[in-house]
């Protein structure tokens, strides 16, 4: 598998949804960095399931146990290892999935790739639960980055056909970053919350699911970072963001909309703000030629609808070699998007800490 990322700050993610536990080892962190554990737990609880009808009713505290790399909440420079034990598993829900792959999930492709030896219970290593590791590592990285003037925020850009107000791409105020970083249903325009919840509820009661888009901004990035052609800023961010299950697309700046603009509309004109070169607009999303321009990095990730739905679907029985039907049991988010926000922010943090 390829569950290791990074060359400067390297993360190695392990575990399966219904095994003993999941965890992450972070190698290459600077020593002497104090980590505010309450803040770290706050980030993890933004991703954790439970207590919300948009999310799975599987309730787990997601409390990481630190095995090494920190003394009294300060990094030692040794690999930082954290484990989260699985306490709330119901593997019997996956009995029928063992031989009948869920449409839209990793079951079939993983069965072929790992010759049927992969742990399929709860999605195994492909489960959304594994993203708790990304949030743990990302929360550590974010605190280190924040000390160096770099902050990251995300929000639910859309669910189904309901959209939030977009980020101002030339920069968002500190108060908004602070508010968004501590919300579970993360919105710029909080009046959209009920409309989005209604959108999710409409599909949930039918046993169906719905997707959406997460928007993320990285502020305070110095200009001149990035290693094009293949390790440019877009390459590196995309590579971690696509490590998040259910991400099916990413766009930077004006993205796909930019492809419909003229050059004069899409180009961002430069000006001096004191000694700093800035752009009036930010259709380039803070990246030119794979290198940071010093403007905020803005990107959006498309999240597909949760594949596990309780509506009956056609599939195949890999044991009998016949077509069959499947009704997925178990506890699944009818909409992954709210919980994906802190995961995408964390993925961005891990990409950035490696590029600096
Ligand atoms: C936070 C989070 C929670 C998820 N929860 C579920 C879930 O409850 N049920 C499910 O079928 N998929 C869930 N997924 C998505 C699957 O893990 C993912 O669709 C699957 O591994 C296939 O990968 P792909 O969609 O990237 O192709 C979740 C993803 C994330 C990021």
């Amino acid at each position: 598998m390829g569950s290791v990322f990074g060359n400067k700050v390297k993360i190695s993610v392990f575990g399966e949804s219904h095994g003993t536990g999941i965890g992450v080892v972070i190698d290459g962190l600077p020593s002497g960095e104090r980590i505010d554990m309450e803040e770290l737990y706050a980030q993890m609880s933004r991703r954790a399931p439970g207590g919300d009808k948009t999310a799975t009713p599987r309730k787990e505290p997601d409390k990481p146990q630190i095995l090494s790399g920190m003394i009294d909440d300060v990094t030692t420079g040794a690999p930082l290892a954290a484990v989260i034990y699985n306490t709330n598993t119901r593997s019997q829900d996956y009995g029928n999935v063992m031989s009948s792959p869920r449409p839209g999930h990793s079951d079939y492709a993983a069965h072929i790739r790992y010759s049927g030896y992969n742990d399929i219970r709860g999605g195994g290593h492909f489960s959304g639960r594994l993203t708790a590791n990304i949030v743990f590592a990302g929360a550590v990285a974010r605190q280190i980055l924040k000390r160096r003037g770099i902050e990251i925020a995300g929000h639910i850009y859309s669910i189904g056909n309901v959209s939030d107000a977009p980020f101002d791409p030339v920069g968002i105020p500190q108060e908004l970053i602070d508010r968004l970083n501590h919300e579970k249903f993360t919105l710029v325009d909080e009046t959209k919350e009920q409309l989005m919840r209604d959108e999710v509820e409409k599909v949930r009661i039918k046993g169906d699911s719905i997707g959406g888009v997460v928007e993320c901004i990285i502020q305070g990035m110095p200009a001149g970072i990035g290693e094009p052609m293949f390790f440019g800023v877009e390459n590196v961010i995309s590579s971690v963001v696509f490590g998040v299950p259910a991400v099916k697309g990413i766009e930077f700046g004006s993205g796909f909309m930019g492809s419909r603009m003229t050059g004069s509309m899409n180009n961002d004109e430069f000006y001096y703000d004191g000694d700093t070169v800035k752009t009036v607009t930010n259709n380039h999303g803070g990246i030119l030629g794979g290198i940071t321009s010093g403007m905020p990095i803005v990107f959006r990730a498309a999240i597909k609808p949760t594949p596990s739905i309780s509506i009956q679907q056609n599939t195949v029985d890999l044991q009998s070699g016949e077509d069959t039907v499947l009704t997925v049991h178990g506890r699944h988010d009818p909409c992954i998007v709210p919980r994906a926000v802190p995961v995408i922010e964390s993925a961005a943090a891990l990409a950035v800490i490696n590029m600096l």
Side-chain angles (χ1 to χ4, degrees), residues 133-156:
N133 298 320
I134 298 177
V135 176
F136 176 87
V140 171
R142 287 170 81 169
Q143 292 193 26
I144 294 171
L145 291 171
K146 188 171 177 175
R147 230 164 263 149
R148 289 150 179 83
I150 297 168
E151 295 209 58
I152 298 170
H155 71 120
I156 306 168

Side-chain angles (χ1 to χ4, degrees), residues 22-252:
I22 61 168
V24 59
V25 179
I26 318 169
D27 197 359
L29 286 175
S31 59
E33 295 283 344
R34 179 167 294 283
I35 303 301
D36 178 340
M37 295 307 285
E38 287 311 312
E39 172 61 23
L40 186 145
Y41 297 143
Q43 291 311 318
M44 298 206 61
S45 73
R46 289 176 68 209
R47 190 220 69 94
D52 192 317
K53 276 188 179 170
T54 62
T56 165
R58 176 174 171 172
K59 280 202 177 71
E60 267 174 326
D62 276 3
K63 192 90 183 199
Q65 193 176 326
I66 312 285
L67 303 181
S68 75
M70 267 206 296
I71 298 177
D72 296 335
D73 300 345
V74 178
T75 58
T76 61
L80 174 58
V83 63
I84 306 167
Y85 291 102
N86 294 328
T87 52
N88 192 339
T89 55
R90 273 199 348 212
S91 301
Q92 68 273 18
D93 287 336
Y94 292 85
N96 55 345
V97 174
M98 296 284 183
S99 64
S100 299
R102 286 168 290 176
H105 214 292
S106 55
D107 307 338
Y108 174 69
H111 175 84
I112 300 296
R113 173 68 181 81
Y114 302 107
S115 312
Y117 288 106
N118 56 302
D119 184 353
I120 206 167
R121 300 165 304 159
H125 193 66
F126 299 87
S127 165
R129 178 155 172 71
L130 272 286
T131 59
N133 298 320
I134 298 177
V135 176
F136 176 87
V140 171
R142 287 170 81 169
Q143 292 193 26
I144 294 171
L145 291 171
K146 188 171 177 175
R147 230 164 263 149
R148 289 150 179 83
I150 297 168
E151 295 209 58
I152 298 170
H155 71 120
I156 306 168
Y157 184 80
S158 62
I159 289 179
N161 290 317
V162 183
S163 299
D164 188 13
F167 279 149
D168 181 347
V170 295
I172 63 169
Q174 187 63 44
E175 310 84 72
L176 181 57
I177 296 180
D178 294 340
R179 174 170 75 75
L180 295 177
N181 277 345
H182 293 98
E183 269 173 14
K184 232 178 146 147
F185 203 96
T186 318
L187 289 172
V188 175
D189 177 358
E190 290 166 293
T191 65
K192 295 293 170 68
E193 176 165 347
Q194 198 50 51
L195 289 171
M196 286 192 182
R197 287 188 182 279
D198 292 347
E199 195 84 341
V200 177
E201 190 60 9
K202 265 191 276 176
V203 296
R204 190 189 71 83
I205 53 175
K206 292 187 210 142
D208 212 341
S209 64
I210 195 164
V213 174
V214 172
E215 185 174 50
C216 188
I217 192 163
I218 308 168
Q219 289 198 168
M221 276 299 277
I225 304 292
E227 301 294 332
M229 169 175 296
F230 299 115
F231 295 95
V233 179
E234 288 122 326
N235 310 60
V236 178
I237 292 177
S238 305
S239 135
V240 200
V241 169
F242 276 119
V244 178
V247 170
K248 286 292 155 181
I250 190 163
E251 61 176 11
F252 291 86

